[in-house]
Amino acid sequence: MLDRFLRWFLVFVATIALALPAMAQSPAADSETVWIEVTDSRGRPAPVSLEQLVVREADTAAETVALGELGPENGRVLVWFDEELLAAGTHERAVEALATQAEALTALGRVELVYADPQPELDVRSGDSLVIGERLKSLALRTRGRRALVELRQRTLDELTTAGGAVARATRVRRAIEAEQTLVEEQQRHLLRWAAVDGIGPRLLILVHDGYDVDPLSFYLRFVDEDTTRELVRDGGPQPRLAAIRDQTARSLAALGWTVLALAPEPAEEDDSAATTGDIVDPDATSLDGRFFRPSDVFGDDDDEREVALVDPRGTLETYTDASGGEVVTGAPSLASALARFGERRALIYRSNLSADADLRPLTVETTRDDLQVRTRRWVTRALPAPVVEARLEGLLRGEIPDAGIGVAAALSVDAQTASGGAAGTLEVRVDAFALDDLTAETLEDGQLRVTVAIAVPESAPQIRTEVVPVDGALADWRYRIPLELPADADAVAVLVSDVASGRWGGGLAALVEGALAELNDSLPAPAVIHIVPPDEAVLRGRVTFAARVVDPRVARVDFLLDDSRVERVTEPPWRARVDLGRTPRPHDLEVIAYDSAGVELGRHAVAINAGSGALAVDIVRPTAVRITGPVDVEAELRVPVERRLDRVLFYWNNELVSTRYAPPFRQRVVIPPERPVGYLRVVALLDDGTLAEDVLFMNGPQAAEQVDVNLVELVVVVTDPDGRPVDDLQSEDFRVFERGDEQEIATFSSAGDLPLTLGLAIDSSASMFVKLPLVQQAASRFLASTFGPMDRAFVVDFDSTPRLARGVTSELDRLLRSIGDLEADGRTALWESVVFSLVQLQGVGGRKALVVFSDGADEDDQFPFRSALDVARQMGVPIYLILMKSEPDTGGLSLFGRSFSSRVERLVDAVGGRVFYAKEYDSLDAVYDDIEAELRSQYVLGYYPQSADSRLWREVEVEVDDDNLTPRTLSGYRP
């Protein structure tokens, strides 16, 4: 009994040591945990004692510490659907099998369903078996899977039939092999980046894809003649790197602690075996030597589903499972058995002999009993596996900003040219304390950081160097500075920083500081001391509690300011304030300012509230003083549209570029010369699609003390003839604009053909839409496809009981259409809240814009007032086209409730120059969408600067046209 207690206690102590990596000096700091499955000769689970287990790292025996069980509360189950390498049939069978095992999956830990399409996207994360089960059942109804390798091979074979000669055919095959390798390598990097997380519990990776061939050449050699074969294998032929990619990925996943279950395609029926095993060539088939191969040599025998086959996909999957101690499963029965056995595994804790920077090493766990076998992972490392580091660096070099626990600021100054034509410079790296969670902040105190620097060189692998650096004292004072020698063709420097103890990491591209600097201190500003933690809700109204994180012990009070007016002062932690944002969701600026006990400002931070997702915005928040010289810390806040990627941020003094930044924090120290102090600070942000936004702050001149507050009012106008048809050939002089009865001067004018359109599409997916939704999805997809122009953008809102952003503002039509197809019917109809949510997404978007809302007309939104929706619509002035699946209000037979709802709908659209359509039949939806499209193509945008200076009053707006036979529609008014 005492022995059992001591063993349990050792497991408990070792587990705590793993969960709290900050205990770097504790005896368990070098502990490693592996999950083992012990079976007898008949494959049944068997008991084993700690003394009967032997652990070896790279053939060196390691001391075993404890053997026990850990609960599923720390477990993680990752179901990874690789859409590029997946066929629709495999996807369907996999989700059906997984749905039957939802309870078994959640019993092992929190479950994540992730689709790599090709970028990974989290579909759902939950520990609730009902949630996982229902989600998997719904996914089974959809057709997914791109079969990218199969499609690539099919295209190549088609091209081979028309290729001119042996050289041309060999060139096409080489290109195809390179494309296969690139595709697989990219998918493996996505997987490694997602899987490389910290944690102490068991990790199960369920890999869903059809596998790939590590030697694609063996497939193509079946279909080419002898001359082409000789051309292909000349000088060694194409060198497939897929075997190395497979092995590196498999070993890295194992070293990260994952056990892989591969859901392989089910074996085909016997008469179809030729199409799945790769033995697909008839011995008597005619090759290209006889001019062309026969289709039956390439495809299966089923004419309805003829597919090019992979040669040995299962061999690839077995590599992953063998390295991690997992297994290949097919179908629900074998999956259920594998999950049950995984749940019976035990935690073996041993003392590792590896150093903190040791790379992958073989791991062996055996028993001293001949009648028992042990299944576990075969690789281990104390450092991050090199393929994971390379995958992260690859993402950083492409400008991807990680969200992984540590914010990194880095600057590179070039001091001199080298004899080889390159450059010599100095790199400085700092950690942003506000991107650290509490666990990481604790572990970094007197801990270690691993810093990896990669220099990108075109057409070759990046040059990488790594160093483990101690953190002595306060993290805010930590810095890493090294000299760098850059090749002549270097085009970027990426920096990756990870906490050795916890595994948390972050990184980005180093800012390029123009010119040599005697002190690099002038390139990176002092760390900020305060940061607002925004709530999770996308749309905020009413009284909301905001919290600020403070990292400077000198802070004695914090002021909370809403739109430049102080709303609360807090004098002690926790630094929180309850702020009244009003009953309607309006855009606001919230700012916090930290002071010390003497009233000296230590730092500030600001965020935009209800700013929407569709506009790029830049706001210079520091400095606050406009008369200052010498080193000045400049800080900018950015709002980047959903679905877009930030390319870079440029800091200027006058027209001189000071530095370029690629990742937050966007802070830069700029030197304002005392001898020439008058000028302006400018921060410019650019997106990957070329979109640009900037903010300018005048310094030390007469205009620095002035504040201009003149806002352009933009009206979206539609003009119709007596038959209701849109008119699209008017000019600026044909319009007159009145505000509160006073005529305004038209400052800007554009017609539909001059400006891109930003379109919001909100679709009711409540339970009452269950039967109707598929037809609505088809009509909405056709409408979007026909309306969408090359410069247009759109977003999709899915609403039932609550609104959700199904797809953020994007110019990628295929993603929009896919998000419409993914909608599912459930819940009530939150119509008014969804209108407001959709309008907020358009905050800050200029030019033409419109919102199209489809609903079945059920008035179930008793939680959100109609008046709030009307106020926001008036404030935004965006035309709303509301499609209701119900009869016209004047046809009779409607209840009083129905008339009340219809009158509110009419009032809403009239306020913004929109329209309401009543569609009795779904066959009429296309006609409705045609009418909306015609109006959108005929919009005019009129802009004017209002003459009134009173910002408190409601301002009525009226637009007239010279022709009395024409009718203009626009918003009825607005409140500044």
Side-chain angles (χ1 to χ4, degrees):
M1 182 70 179
L2 180 60
D3 181 59
R4 290 175 57 192
F5 173 78
L6 288 174
R7 290 180 183 174
W8 174 88
F9 181 74
L10 285 172
V11 172
F12 174 78
V13 170
T15 302
I16 295 299
L18 288 171
L20 300 175
M23 302 165 59
Q25 305 304 319
S26 67
D30 56 355
S31 295
E32 192 73 26
T33 302
V34 293
W35 293 83
I36 64 171
E37 176 184 332
V38 182
T39 56
D40 60 20
S41 57
R42 299 178 62 181
R44 299 171 301 186
V48 69
S49 65
L50 182 65
E51 294 77 13
Q52 295 171 333
L53 294 170
V54 178
V55 178
R56 290 187 178 87
E57 290 180 335
D59 295 328
T60 301
E63 176 189 355
T64 56
V65 175
L67 180 66
E69 298 179 359
L70 293 179
E73 63 274 5
N74 292 319
R76 184 182 178 198
V77 179
L78 172 59
V79 184
W80 183 269
F81 295 89
D82 192 323
E83 296 302 311
E84 292 288 276
L85 304 178
L86 183 62
T90 306
H91 175 273
E92 182 179 356
R93 289 189 293 269
V95 294
E96 288 177 353
L98 289 164
T100 65
Q101 300 301 315
E103 191 169 339
L105 290 169
T106 54
L108 299 175
R110 196 169 178 84
V111 179
E112 300 175 26
L113 304 181
V114 178
Y115 280 90
D117 190 19
Q119 295 284 342
E121 293 185 8
L122 177 65
D123 186 85
V124 69
R125 179 188 290 120
S126 177
D128 187 329
S129 61
L130 182 61
V131 171
I132 296 299
E134 290 302 314
R135 188 58 185 159
L136 285 166
K137 289 177 183 177
S138 67
L139 294 175
L141 302 176
R142 302 177 189 170
T143 301
R144 289 183 179 263
R146 296 186 180 277
R147 305 184 315 157
L149 293 182
V150 169
E151 296 293 340
L152 174 61
R153 291 187 175 183
Q154 175 60 68
R155 289 194 303 271
T156 304
L157 292 178
D158 291 341
E159 293 170 354
L160 287 177
T161 63
T162 59
V167 175
R169 289 193 291 268
T171 299
R172 291 178 186 269
V173 170
R174 289 194 183 97
R175 289 175 181 171
I177 292 174
E178 176 64 26
E180 284 197 24
Q181 293 177 153
T182 300
L183 186 151
V184 171
E185 188 170 16
E186 186 65 18
Q187 294 306 101
Q188 301 310 290
R189 284 175 173 165
H190 290 324
L191 175 57
L192 286 175
R193 285 200 291 264
W194 193 283
V197 296
D198 62 303
I200 63 171
R203 305 179 194 180
L204 179 63
L205 169 60
I206 300 179
L207 196 60
V208 184
H209 68 63
D210 288 342
Y212 53 89
D213 292 333
V214 296
D215 181 15
L217 181 60
S218 64
F219 170 83
Y220 290 106
L221 287 179
R222 300 168 181 243
F223 307 108
V224 296
D225 55 23
E226 294 181 1
D227 290 341
T228 306
T229 299
R230 283 192 294 270
E231 186 67 32
L232 281 169
V233 300
R234 180 182 298 173
D235 301 325
Q239 296 297 324
R241 59 180 185 269
L242 292 183
I245 294 171
R246 175 200 61 187
D247 294 343
Q248 291 175 357
T249 303
R251 294 173 182 181
S252 297
L253 290 171
L256 290 169
W258 292 99
T259 301
V260 179
L261 294 185
L263 273 176
E266 291 185 356
E269 299 296 331
E270 187 171 333
D271 58 350
D272 286 332
S273 60
T276 57
T277 63
D279 187 16
I280 59 177
V281 180
D282 188 327
D284 299 325
T286 302
S287 71
L288 285 178
D289 195 15
R291 294 288 69 83
F292 297 119
F293 52 81
R294 299 197 306 269
S296 61
D297 299 333
V298 185
F299 301 102
D301 295 330
D302 189 345
D303 291 336
D304 295 330
E305 295 186 9
R306 300 194 306 175
E307 292 185 356
V308 171
L310 298 175
V311 177
D312 185 24
R314 192 181 180 99
T316 296
L317 299 177
E318 288 173 347
T319 300
Y320 292 111
T321 58
D322 290 347
S324 65
E327 56 186 294
V328 177
V329 297
T330 56
S334 58
L335 175 63
S337 176
L339 294 176
R341 289 195 299 274
F342 184 82
E344 295 173 351
R345 293 195 176 195
R346 305 181 70 185
L348 172 61
I349 301 174
Y350 70 92
R351 210 171 301 283
S352 176
N353 297 314
L354 301 180
S355 62
D357 57 351
D359 202 355
L360 292 172
R361 295 290 188 273
L363 175 70
T364 304
V365 181
E366 300 173 330
T367 73
T368 56
R369 293 175 49 180
D370 295 336
D371 59 331
L372 298 182
Q373 293 82 39
V374 179
R375 175 182 287 178
T376 189
R377 58 187 171 108
R378 299 184 177 182
W379 296 90
V380 67
T381 180
R382 300 297 308 283
L384 200 62
V388 177
V389 174
E390 293 172 3
R392 288 177 173 174
L393 288 171
E394 179 70 22
L396 294 176
L397 291 171
R398 290 188 304 192
E400 297 175 5
I401 300 175
D403 181 15
I406 297 180
V408 175
L412 174 67
S413 67
V414 176
D415 302 323
Q417 298 297 313
T418 61
S420 61
T426 304
L427 175 72
E428 180 173 314
V429 182
R430 295 182 188 172
V431 170
D432 182 9
F434 289 113
L436 296 169
D437 57 33
D438 293 336
L439 173 62
T440 305
E442 291 176 4
T443 62
L444 284 180
E445 184 178 349
D446 298 326
Q448 292 179 313
L449 290 175
R450 181 179 290 106
V451 182
T452 302
V453 179
I455 302 173
V457 180
E459 307 300 329
S460 62
Q463 301 177 12
I464 298 175
R465 58 186 294 179
T466 298
E467 184 178 347
V468 175
V469 185
V471 178
D472 298 323
L475 183 64
D477 297 330
W478 179 87
R479 69 184 59 189
Y480 171 79
R481 185 183 294 179
I482 59 168
L484 277 186
E485 186 168 319
L486 306 177
D489 54 350
D491 55 12
V493 175
V495 179
L496 189 152
V497 178
S498 60
D499 176 17
V500 172
S502 70
R504 303 296 171 88
W505 71 284
L509 298 185
L512 305 177
V513 179
E514 300 295 320
L517 294 177
E519 288 292 336
L520 199 61
N521 284 335
D522 287 340
S523 69
L524 289 176
V529 300
I530 190 167
H531 188 85
I532 297 174
V533 182
D536 293 332
E537 293 82 0
V539 178
L540 299 176
R541 67 187 182 101
R543 297 186 64 82
V544 179
T545 298
F546 292 91
R549 289 185 62 187
V550 173
V551 297
D552 194 323
R554 297 175 298 165
V555 174
R557 78 170 194 265
V558 173
D559 285 353
F560 286 78
L561 288 76
L562 185 67
D563 300 327
D564 297 325
S565 298
R566 193 178 75 193
V567 292
E568 191 160 347
R569 171 169 289 176
V570 183
T571 57
E572 61 182 12
W575 309 102
R576 296 176 182 170
R578 193 162 177 79
V579 180
D580 188 357
L581 301 178
R583 68 174 187 172
T584 59
R586 300 180 184 274
H588 298 282
D589 292 320
L590 181 71
E591 187 173 25
V592 290
I593 307 176
Y595 300 91
D596 65 11
S597 57
V600 176
E601 180 182 327
L602 299 177
R604 61 175 64 200
H605 182 229
V607 295
I609 298 171
N610 297 332
S613 64
L616 172 66
V618 181
D619 184 22
I620 298 177
V621 296
R622 296 173 67 192
T624 56
V626 294
R627 299 193 180 279
I628 189 172
T629 60
V632 176
D633 285 351
V634 180
E635 181 175 1
E637 293 286 346
L638 267 64
R639 185 173 74 247
V640 178
V642 179
E643 305 290 334
R644 289 265 60 91
R645 181 176 62 81
L646 181 69
D647 183 69
R648 61 190 183 276
V649 176
L650 309 172
F651 287 78
Y652 289 87
W653 168 245
N654 294 324
N655 289 322
E656 180 183 350
L657 178 65
V658 176
S659 75
T660 304
R661 293 196 173 279
Y662 299 89
F666 300 108
R667 298 197 297 268
Q668 178 62 41
R669 182 161 291 175
V670 177
V671 178
I672 300 178
E675 65 277 10
R676 291 180 287 108
V678 178
Y680 55 90
L681 295 166
R682 185 161 65 107
V683 179
V684 180
L686 293 96
L687 299 182
D688 55 349
D689 63 353
T691 302
L692 178 147
E694 66 178 347
D695 192 17
V696 177
L697 184 64
F698 291 97
M699 304 292 293
N700 302 306
Q703 65 270 53
E706 300 174 0
Q707 182 174 359
V708 180
D709 189 16
V710 179
N711 296 317
L712 178 71
V713 176
E714 287 187 327
L715 305 177
V716 179
V717 184
V718 173
V719 182
T720 55
D721 63 16
D723 296 326
R725 295 182 301 237
V727 178
D728 59 3
D729 58 353
L730 301 180
Q731 304 300 318
S732 174
E733 55 269 20
D734 297 321
F735 291 89
R736 298 175 67 192
V737 178
F738 299 86
E739 182 177 296
R740 298 173 63 190
D742 297 328
E743 186 169 359
Q744 308 291 312
E745 180 182 354
I746 298 176
T748 62
F749 175 84
S750 299
S751 61
D754 300 328
L755 290 174
L757 170 70
T758 302
L759 178 67
L761 191 61
I763 300 178
D764 182 351
S765 61
S766 59
S768 57
M769 293 286 296
F770 181 78
V771 176
K772 317 166 191 175
L773 188 57
L775 294 174
V776 173
Q777 289 168 305
Q778 294 174 16
S781 297
R782 287 195 294 268
F783 162 70
L784 190 59
S786 62
T787 305
F788 210 68
M791 300 298 294
D792 294 338
R793 300 188 301 164
F795 63 90
V796 177
V797 170
D798 163 29
F799 69 92
D800 42 51
S801 303
T802 57
R804 294 169 298 278
L805 192 62
R807 181 63 64 184
V809 179
T810 180
S811 58
E812 300 177 54
L813 180 60
D814 60 332
R815 289 182 175 269
L816 293 164
L817 297 178
R818 199 178 312 158
S819 66
I820 294 174
D822 284 347
L823 302 185
E824 298 176 355
D826 193 18
R828 293 164 57 84
T829 307
L831 178 60
W832 309 127
E833 182 182 2
S834 302
V835 168
V836 171
F837 179 89
S838 302
L839 290 174
V840 167
Q841 308 310 313
L842 291 165
Q843 295 274 20
V845 175
R848 293 196 305 136
K849 48 198 169 186
L851 174 63
V852 178
V853 183
F854 182 94
S855 177
D856 61 0
D859 189 6
E860 301 174 329
D861 201 351
D862 52 3
Q863 302 297 318
F864 197 95
F866 164 75
R867 182 68 195 185
S868 294
L870 181 61
D871 286 348
V872 173
R874 284 172 167 171
Q875 171 194 327
M876 291 288 297
V878 175
I880 300 175
Y881 296 91
L882 187 55
I883 306 170
L884 298 179
M885 290 307 301
K886 59 192 308 181
S887 300
E888 295 278 1
D890 58 353
T891 57
L894 291 178
S895 66
L896 177 63
F897 174 82
R899 287 197 298 274
S900 173
F901 173 72
S902 297
S903 65
R904 282 185 283 176
V905 166
E906 297 282 359
R907 188 180 178 192
L908 177 70
V909 298
D910 288 346
V912 291
R915 288 180 64 184
V916 59
F917 297 87
Y918 297 90
K920 295 181 182 180
E921 304 294 338
Y922 283 87
D923 292 343
S924 64
L925 278 179
D926 285 336
V928 170
Y929 282 131
D930 287 344
D931 289 344
I932 297 175
E933 180 183 355
E935 289 208 359
L936 293 178
R937 293 184 184 277
S938 306
Q939 286 178 333
Y940 303 92
V941 180
L942 281 64
Y944 68 94
Y945 293 98
Q947 299 176 7
S948 173
D950 192 341
S951 62
R952 298 170 297 172
L953 300 178
W954 168 258
R955 301 181 180 183
E956 293 181 354
V957 173
E958 185 179 0
V959 175
E960 295 180 355
V961 292
D962 290 340
D963 190 340
D964 294 338
N965 293 319
L966 303 181
T967 303
R969 293 201 323 269
T970 188
L971 59 87
S972 60
Y974 71 99
R975 182 177 290 107

